[in-house]
Amino acid sequence: MSGNKQGTERPERPKRRRRRVWVHIAGAVAVVLCCAAAVVWTVTSEPASTRVVQVASSLAAGQVIAETDLAPVVVAAEDVDALGLVAASRLDEVVGQLAAIPLIAGTLLSAGMVGAPASPRTGFVEVTVALADGRVPAALQEGHVVSILGASDAVATGVWSAAGTVLAVTRPEEGGALVTVELPQEAAAGLVRVESTSLLMVTSAHAAPDPEATPTPAPSPTAGG
């Protein structure tokens, strides 16, 4: 009897081994499928990204935008249309245009931030000054930030000064220049006491005028000449 039992049990061992092998194979396949599914889910769940233009250097409203004032950055693609952002591929279209509003470094540039600024801004006034040859920068143009100086008996030092943004430049055939500038209201009030023939204008390329600025004395031996 014992011999018969042994004879009937021996054939069953290979079957168990084959079942174990198939179990291991099925488990391995399941692991591979799970990993593949995880990879697919990760790839498809990652938001699409794109490159847009960011302000690299702060600018005042009306200043000319230079290439060095901008930089490309990567953002989620869904934000581009929602915020009206300027694509990095259009950076060249922005260079040379005016800042419609004050631009702060780190701000993502949108289409509405570029173009002719609303002028004058609240708290500012437009004034046009006549400058003689030699008293106005030869390369002066719209958007330049400038300082205007002149002799005035209303200032203790005898020299009045104020910072502003150039809005227009006209150069008459007879020489000199007529320059329209946006100035803070407080600064413009002091301009009426300045001797017109003493007016001198200098440029300060990337220095934005302070909206809270008031006329400050700046000694200049040439201002009153």
Side-chain angles (χ1 to χ4, degrees):
M1 294 290 290
S2 61
N4 292 339
K5 288 180 180 179
Q6 291 177 354
T8 58
E9 290 176 358
R10 286 173 185 169
E12 294 178 0
R13 290 177 183 172
K15 292 181 180 179
R16 291 199 192 103
R17 288 175 184 165
R18 283 196 295 271
R19 279 198 293 270
R20 290 195 191 101
V21 171
W22 282 111
V23 169
H24 290 315
I25 293 174
V29 171
V31 171
V32 171
L33 291 176
C34 288
C35 291
V39 171
V40 171
W41 181 83
T42 301
V43 172
T44 56
S45 62
E46 290 181 351
S49 60
T50 188
R51 287 158 60 87
V52 298
V53 176
Q54 183 182 58
V55 179
S57 303
S58 297
L59 298 172
Q63 275 194 269
V64 178
I65 301 173
E67 187 172 357
T68 53
D69 296 323
L70 308 173
V73 294
V74 177
V75 299
E78 61 184 11
D79 294 336
V80 176
D81 291 335
L83 302 177
L85 302 179
V86 177
S89 59
R90 295 177 53 202
L91 187 147
D92 290 344
E93 299 177 18
V94 177
V95 173
Q97 296 198 47
L98 302 180
I101 61 174
L103 301 180
I104 308 302
T107 303
L108 296 178
L109 190 69
S110 65
M113 297 178 181
V114 179
S119 179
R121 293 174 288 160
T122 303
F124 290 75
V125 296
E126 290 183 18
V127 296
T128 299
V129 293
L131 298 163
D133 286 331
R135 290 185 168 272
V136 56
L140 188 69
Q141 61 179 327
E142 294 179 11
H144 279 182
V145 175
V146 297
S147 291
I148 308 176
L149 304 94
S152 173
D153 57 8
V155 182
T157 60
V159 179
W160 170 92
S161 67
T165 304
V166 176
L167 302 178
V169 180
T170 302
R171 298 184 183 274
E173 293 182 0
E174 57 270 23
L178 297 175
V179 184
T180 300
V181 186
E182 183 187 63
L183 294 177
Q185 287 180 341
E186 312 89 86
L191 181 60
V192 298
R193 300 290 297 272
V194 174
E195 295 178 14
S196 60
T197 56
S198 72
L199 283 172
L200 172 70
M201 183 173 290
V202 295
T203 57
S204 48
H206 294 290
D210 183 355
E212 303 297 327
T214 54
T216 54
S220 172
T222 61

